[in-house]
Amino acid sequence: MTILDLQQVTKRFGTHQVLQAIDLQIQTPKILALVAPNGSGKSTLLNIITNLLKPDSGSVKVFDHSNTDAAIFKQMTYLQDNRVLFNDLSGAAHVRLVQDVYGLPQSEVDQLLARLDMTAYIHKKVAAYSLGMKQHLLFLLAILPKPKLLLLDEPLNGLDPVAVRTVQQILQELYQQGTTILFSSHNLAQIDQLTDQVIFLHGGQLVAASTLRQDKQHYDLVFTDVHPVQQYLAAQDLAASLKQPHKLSVDLSASQHQQLVTWTKANGIEILDEEHTTETTDELYFHVFGEDAHETL
Ligand SMILES: Nc1ncnc2c1ncn2[C@@H]1O[C@H](COP(=O)(O)OP(=O)(O)OP(=O)(O)O)[C@@H](O)[C@H]1O
């Protein structure tokens, strides 16, 4: 069974092509982060998956059913932004609505209320909630049904560090119990704490960070003779920087690295030391979106 299957999904607002032929297949449970600058179409994509918005073309299937089939909502929940909450209702009233629909025992609700430290304000009206309190409530409502597919639009927004940790722990537990989690976030360090599976939405298309990570790694290399290596790398169009008299920093794919090793051996140059690091999501973000992204963060 395919958990999520998006085929050639497109969406345009006026002349703005927000999503261009998006394909995304999730076959096994995972935690997947959706990352892009503001206004790139993350919410649009999540809204299309949950059938709140119709794509211009393409198809969306959830657990092998069309996303227009209401039955999928027994297994899929969605944390949207807090405008979906009712200001005149208490948090408890929101919880009761979800509890009734999904037939959830009170003991489970109480346990989560305590864990999320919400008992002090759950009976107050949402109108009196802070941003963080609303975010807690949205998160609680989304996880209560123990969905098999959990979609979260910026779930860590407005949460203090303790709450971030609790939410991260709960998400990890859900994942370990078989839930697939697709969430958007701008906080790249928090993403790295949760998952190494990241997809960037760039120019209306999805780019998997894993392909970029596998593609290039950052190498610090110490050579017996650095000058010929600099010439070799320049001839390959690879930008290397000299860090110390014998040390070069360069981004290389696995095959480029192998070729360099072969070339140094053939030319009597020894690699005295080698360290390589995988790019963090933060580094990859700037790699994908460039400096323009800085202004939109
Ligand atoms: N209903 C709509 N009508 C017209 N334009 C829209 C509509 N909804 C979204 N857009 C536009 O589509 C683009 C993508 O918006 P979206 O909210 O999906 O981005 P996002 O990546 O979630 O942004 P953010 O990170 O700021 O939440 C934006 O340019 C936005 O102005």
Side-chain angles (χ1 to χ4, degrees):
M1 184 173 58
T2 304
I3 296 164
L4 184 63
D5 185 11
L6 271 65
Q7 301 274 353
Q8 297 288 297
V9 169
T10 63
K11 185 70 187 177
R12 161 200 300 264
F13 292 113
T15 56
H16 185 184
Q17 189 75 45
V18 178
L19 303 177
Q20 301 202 38
I22 297 269
D23 284 327
L24 175 65
Q25 281 82 39
I26 302 180
Q27 308 280 2
T28 51
K30 58 180 66 167
I31 302 180
L32 196 57
L34 178 61
V35 177
N38 291 127
S40 300
K42 300 180 295 296
S43 305
T44 300
L45 183 61
L46 294 174
N47 287 340
I48 286 177
I49 293 172
T50 48
N51 195 32
L52 292 173
L53 200 62
K54 294 276 174 212
D56 296 334
S57 59
S59 69
V60 179
K61 283 192 176 167
V62 179
F63 301 114
D64 293 338
H65 291 269
S66 162
N67 67 339
T68 55
D69 182 346
I72 61 168
F73 285 94
K74 288 210 169 98
Q75 302 187 77
M76 171 175 76
T77 58
Y78 180 28
L79 180 156
Q80 300 177 67
D81 75 42
N82 62 38
R83 283 172 297 186
V84 299
L85 297 174
F86 300 99
N87 275 323
D88 289 339
L89 293 184
S90 67
H94 285 79
V95 170
R96 262 196 308 279
L97 284 172
V98 172
Q99 219 180 330
D100 289 349
V101 170
Y102 290 91
L104 305 166
Q106 189 60 38
S107 57
E108 280 182 23
V109 175
D110 290 343
Q111 224 176 353
L112 278 169
L113 283 174
R115 191 156 176 207
L116 287 163
D117 209 9
M118 296 176 68
T119 34
Y121 59 84
I122 194 68
H123 293 288
K124 290 188 178 158
K125 281 190 177 176
V126 166
Y129 281 19
S130 69
L131 175 65
M133 290 167 165
K134 287 180 186 172
Q135 203 65 13
H136 275 79
L137 179 59
L138 287 167
F139 182 70
L140 175 68
L141 298 173
I143 61 167
L144 264 176
K146 294 207 199 84
K148 283 280 165 218
L149 176 59
L150 175 58
L151 306 175
L152 308 154
D153 202 354
E154 312 218 14
L156 305 171
N157 218 8
L159 298 183
D160 64 47
V162 173
V164 165
R165 190 169 292 179
T166 306
V167 166
Q168 286 175 332
Q169 279 167 355
I170 292 174
L171 290 176
Q172 288 289 359
E173 288 165 18
L174 284 169
Y175 162 65
Q176 273 152 25
Q177 290 157 21
T179 297
T180 292
I181 296 161
L182 173 59
F183 74 104
S184 74
S185 176
H186 286 120
N187 191 317
L188 306 175
Q190 287 174 349
I191 288 173
D192 284 339
Q193 286 164 3
L194 252 182
T195 184
D196 60 357
Q197 307 231 11
V198 177
I199 41 175
F200 295 108
L201 180 56
H202 180 49
Q205 295 184 316
L206 297 180
V207 183
S210 58
T211 59
L212 301 170
R213 283 202 176 101
Q214 277 161 14
D215 199 30
K216 293 233 170 176
Q217 296 208 27
H218 184 77
Y219 286 85
D220 284 318
L221 299 153
V222 180
F223 300 94
T224 46
D225 186 2
V226 81
H227 186 62
V229 182
Q230 282 177 301
Q231 287 181 327
Y232 165 81
L233 292 172
Q236 311 293 313
D237 246 350
L238 293 166
S241 54
L242 190 63
K243 292 287 172 187
Q244 286 164 23
H246 289 270
K247 186 173 179 178
L248 284 178
S249 278
V250 61
D251 292 339
L252 299 171
S253 67
S255 66
Q256 286 166 340
H257 175 256
Q258 191 49 49
Q259 281 162 19
L260 175 64
V261 171
T262 309
W263 181 87
T264 49
K265 274 188 191 147
N267 287 275
I269 296 167
E270 242 187 281
I271 299 176
L272 299 172
D273 193 24
E274 171 177 320
E275 279 178 21
H276 70 271
T277 46
T278 306
E279 282 180 292
T280 62
T281 302
D282 186 72
E283 287 165 330
L284 286 171
Y285 185 93
F286 285 96
H287 180 104
V288 173
F289 299 107
E291 286 307 311
D292 290 350
H294 188 61
E295 286 158 28
T296 57
L297 276 175

